[in-house]
Amino acid sequence: MANRSTFSLFLLFSLLLGHGVTELQASHHVYQHLQSTSETKSSPPSQPYRTGYHFQPPKNWINDPNGPMIYKGIYHLFYQYNPKGAVWGNIVWAHSTSTDLINWTPHPHAIYPSQPSDHYGCWSGSATILPGDKPIILYTGIIDPENTQVQNLAVPKNLSDPYLREWVKYPQNPLMEPTIENEINGSSFRDPTTAWLGHDNIWRVIIGSKIHRKGLAVLYRSRDFKKWTKAKHPLHSAKDTGMWECPDFFPVSTSGQNGVDASTFGPNVKHVLKASLDDTKHEYYTIGTYNITLDRYFPDKGSVDSDSGLRYDYGKYYASKTFFDHEKNRRILLGWINESSSVADDIKKGWAGVQAIPRKIWLDKSRKQLVQWPIVELEKQRENHVQLPSQFLKGGSRIEVSGVTPVQADVEISFEIPDLKKAEVFNPSWTDPQLLCSQKGASVKSALGPFGLLALASKDLQEYTAIFFKIFKGKDKYVVLMCSDQSRSSLNDDNDKTTYGAFLNVDPVHEKLSLRSLIDHSIVESFGGGGKACIAARVYPTLAIDKNAHLYAFNYGTEKVKILNLNAWSMKKAHIFESVIEDLK
Ligand SMILES: *[C@@H]1O[C@H](CO)[C@@H](O)[C@H](O)[C@H]1NC(C)=O
Ligand SMILES: *[C@@H]1O[C@H](CO)[C@@H](O)[C@H](O)[C@H]1NC(C)=O
Ligand SMILES: *[C@@H]1O[C@H](CO)[C@@H](O)[C@H](O)[C@H]1NC(C)=O
Ligand SMILES: *[C@@H]1O[C@H](CO)[C@@H](O)[C@H](O)[C@H]1NC(C)=O
C-alpha cells in the first residue's frame, strides 16, 4: 500500500531534483583514495581465463553484486567496480541490464562519489521497490580516509526510463550514521539490505556490523524511508563470528519453489538470515522465524549459527544477495566469485572477479536447508547436445565426453550405486567436509568413490579439476561427501588451490546422485543433489585451455557405479559487453 509519506518523499524529490542534478553534474569523479597501483594498459594478447557466459566486464576489478531488481520487465545488476585497475579501490556502482539475466547491456556508472556522504567510495547496498513500482537504493558511503561508513539513499532520475540509467542522491544524505550515542562502530557499519514493510506501515532494514567479536545485523526503522531510527536491539547477532558483511534477510515459502516478496510474513513462510563473514570470507545462513512484534529473528533449533553453519556455496562465493523476481515468482541469488590467482597475475591479465550464474533459490522439503539451481534462462545458451547411454563405470576407469567444447560447457550426470553395502564406514569424528575432501582427494581411492567429473583436464591428465562424490556408511544412514578438488587444476603454483567440500543431504538408497557443472574457462560451478550443495571454483590451467581441454566422467573407487544419465552441451558465448569490446578494438 502506498502510504502518504512515501508519496510525499517523491514529491520532495521532484522538488529537489533540479538542485540535486545540478550538484551531480557540477561534481566530477573524485578518487582521492587511490588503492590501485597501475592503470590497466591494453589487454594482453592471450586471455585463456576470460569467461564465455559468466558476467564480467572487459577489464578491471569487480566485487559484490549490488541492488539487483526487476523493473518494467528489465533486470538490473549493479556491482562494485574499480574503473582504474585490476585491484580493489576507487569503488563505484557499475550498471548493466538484461532481459534474461545472462546477456547484458552495459550502462554508465549509476552511483559514484559526488557528495560529502560518499566522497571516498560508494560501497554495497540494495534496492527496494516501493509501492507504486518505485525503486529506491540504499548504499554505504565512505566519508573519510579512515573508511568511516554511513548509509545513503538514491532514486532514479526518470522512472519512465526502463534502464534507470541516472540516479539522484538524496541531498540530505546520510540517513544513518555512527554516533557515540548509537554505539555503532563507524568502520564496521555497511551493506544495507532490501527493506521490508510491516503491517504497521513501518519500513525495516538491516545493516552489517560488529561489536568486538560479535557479528550483528543492526536494525533501523522508518515511516518515510528518509528518517531512520536505530532499534534498541539488533535483528540478530551471533558471538565470535566477527564483522557481518552483506547481510541478507528474506522469507521463503514453506511449500513449492516459488519466491515471495520481502514483506511477506505469517505461517506460510520461514525466514532466512545470511551473513558474509569478513574474517573467514565464508558466508553462512540460518533458517528460522521472524517475530515482527518483537522485531527479532530466531534461528530454528539445530540451524547452526556460526561459520560452520550452512552455506549457499562451499567454494569461492561471497557477498551474495537475493531479490524477488515478481514477474516469474522466484527468488534469485547473485554472488561474486573472487579470483584464486595472485594479485600480480590479476594485474597482468587486467581484470579480477566474475559474477556467478544467477541461481533460483527456495526452501528444501525438509525445511532445514535451501536449494539452488541455475536460472532456467541459462539453458538457452546450450548447443551441441551430447548424451551418453546409461552404463556401468567400473572401478578405476574413466570415459571421455566428446562432442562439446570442454572449456565452455554445461554437463549433467547422475549415478546409481549397485551395491551400497560396500561403502566404507564413516568415522563420526569427520565433521569438517572440506578437510575430509582435502585429505581424501581425487587420488585417494575408497570403495564408493571418488566418482564424478574431471573438468578442464589436459590430455595426459597433468591438469584437471575433479568434482566428485564419496559415499560412506554412517551409523544409521549413508553419508554422501561432495568435493571439488583443485589441487591438480594448474601447473602454475601461484594460485590458491584449496580443495572444497560439503556433505550432501541425499539418501543414495532411494535417490539417484546427480551432479551438474558449469564449466567456463576459469570457473567450475557445481551443483550436487539437484542443488542441495553448491561449490564454485576458480582454476587457471596452463595446458587444459581452449581446444586442448578435455572432459571426462570417472570412477576411481574400487567398486563399480552406474551412470544413469549424462547430458552435456557446449555453451554459447553470452552477449555481455559486446558494444564496449567493439569500441576497444
Ligand atoms: C525519461 O525517459 C523516457 C524513456 O526513455 C524519455 O522518453 C524521456 O525523454 C525521459 N525524460 C527526461 C526528462 O529525460
Ligand atoms: C571497530 O571496527 C574496527 C575495524 O574492524 C576494529 O578495528 C575495532 O576493533 C572495532 N571496535 C569494536 C569496539 O568492535
Ligand atoms: C512473538 O513474540 C511475542 C512476545 O514474546 C509472542 O507473544 C508471540 O506469540 C510471538 N509471535 C510469533 C509469531 O511467534
Ligand atoms: C579473494 O581472493 C584473494 C586471492 O585468493 C584472497 O586473498 C582474498 O582474501 C579473497 N577475498 C574474498 C572476499 O574472498
Side-chain angles (χ1 to χ4, degrees), residues 281 316 318 336 338-341 496:
K281 308 297 179 202
K316 232 177 204 174
Y318 195 72
W336 163 48
N338 188 12
E339 298 301 312
S340 292
S341 46
D496 169 11

Side-chain angles (χ1 to χ4, degrees), residues 127-144:
T128 303
I129 310 280
L130 299 187
D133 205 18
K134 291 176 173 144
I136 194 162
I137 281 172
L138 286 173
Y139 69 98
T140 298
I142 304 300
I143 60 168
D144 59 27

Side-chain angles (χ1 to χ4, degrees), residues 195-206:
W196 65 98
L197 184 65
H199 300 307
D200 50 10
N201 254 347
I202 293 175
W203 289 98
R204 282 115 169 130
V205 74
I206 54 172

Side-chain angles (χ1 to χ4, degrees), residues 325-484:
D325 174 1
H326 55 84
E327 293 204 3
K328 294 207 166 132
N329 281 317
R330 55 186 177 174
R331 183 162 287 274
I332 291 173
L333 171 70
L334 304 180
W336 163 48
I337 308 184
N338 188 12
E339 298 301 312
S340 292
S341 46
S342 67
V343 172
D345 280 352
D346 293 346
I347 291 171
K348 212 177 340 171
K349 68 188 196 288
W351 57 272
V354 294
Q355 299 292 336
I357 293 299
R359 303 171 181 177
K360 179 173 153 175
I361 185 167
W362 67 93
L363 185 64
D364 182 51
K365 282 196 201 78
S366 68
R367 300 192 182 181
K368 291 197 168 118
Q369 69 160 101
L370 299 169
V371 187
Q372 302 157 68
W373 199 244
I375 52 160
V376 65
E377 286 90 334
L378 181 68
E379 293 166 25
K380 284 192 308 190
Q381 300 302 117
R382 290 170 166 176
E383 60 183 7
N384 305 337
H385 182 199
V386 166
Q387 190 167 24
L388 258 56
S390 168
Q391 59 192 286
F392 284 101
L393 204 52
K394 63 178 200 299
S397 70
R398 66 171 181 273
I399 45 168
E400 179 152 15
V401 181
S402 17
V404 298
T405 43
V407 285
Q408 200 170 299
D410 181 354
V411 50
E412 289 187 293
I413 187 167
S414 63
F415 296 96
E416 189 180 72
I417 315 306
D419 195 357
L420 277 165
K421 288 190 292 294
K422 297 259 170 61
E424 266 175 31
V425 173
F426 185 77
N427 181 335
S429 73
W430 295 343
T431 52
D432 180 344
Q434 175 162 330
L435 187 65
L436 198 53
C437 283
S438 46
Q439 290 165 347
K440 297 181 179 294
S443 52
V444 182
K445 268 193 201 16
S446 72
L448 298 181
F451 57 88
L453 297 169
L454 301 178
L456 299 173
S458 61
K459 185 84 197 156
D460 55 3
L461 292 180
Q462 281 194 73
E463 288 181 338
Y464 58 83
T465 294
I467 317 97
F468 61 85
F469 300 117
K470 284 190 177 183
I471 303 179
F472 300 97
K473 202 183 312 177
K475 199 157 177 293
D476 39 36
K477 61 173 178 111
Y478 289 98
V479 177
V480 179
L481 182 69
M482 173 177 167
C483 305
S484 181

Side-chain angles (χ1 to χ4, degrees), residues 44-77:
S46 161
Q47 286 279 5
Y49 309 129
R50 283 194 67 80
T51 57
Y53 59 98
H54 282 75
F55 182 93
Q56 65 170 147
K59 59 175 187 173
N60 296 336
W61 166 274
I62 74 168
N63 53 304
D64 315 4
N66 292 149
M69 65 172 145
I70 180 164
Y71 177 69
K72 292 193 196 290
I74 293 180
Y75 294 102
H76 290 257
L77 168 67

Side-chain angles (χ1 to χ4, degrees), residues 101-178:
L101 290 158
I102 299 294
N103 297 280
W104 296 89
T105 305
H107 299 295
H109 301 156
I111 300 179
Y112 44 83
S114 70
Q115 283 188 326
S117 64
D118 64 14
H119 194 76
Y120 291 85
C122 297
W123 290 10
S124 288
S126 305
T128 303
I129 310 280
L130 299 187
D133 205 18
K134 291 176 173 144
I136 194 162
I137 281 172
L138 286 173
Y139 69 98
T140 298
I142 304 300
I143 60 168
D144 59 27
E146 285 71 54
N147 284 340
T148 301
Q149 296 150 29
V150 300
Q151 315 313 322
N152 296 323
L153 186 155
V155 296
K157 181 174 167 190
N158 180 1
L159 282 172
S160 309
D161 172 15
Y163 301 112
L164 301 174
R165 279 170 287 203
E166 289 183 79
W167 289 77
V168 181
K169 294 173 191 172
Y170 182 49
Q172 265 100 54
N173 280 339
L175 309 181
M176 305 167 218
E177 54 189 326

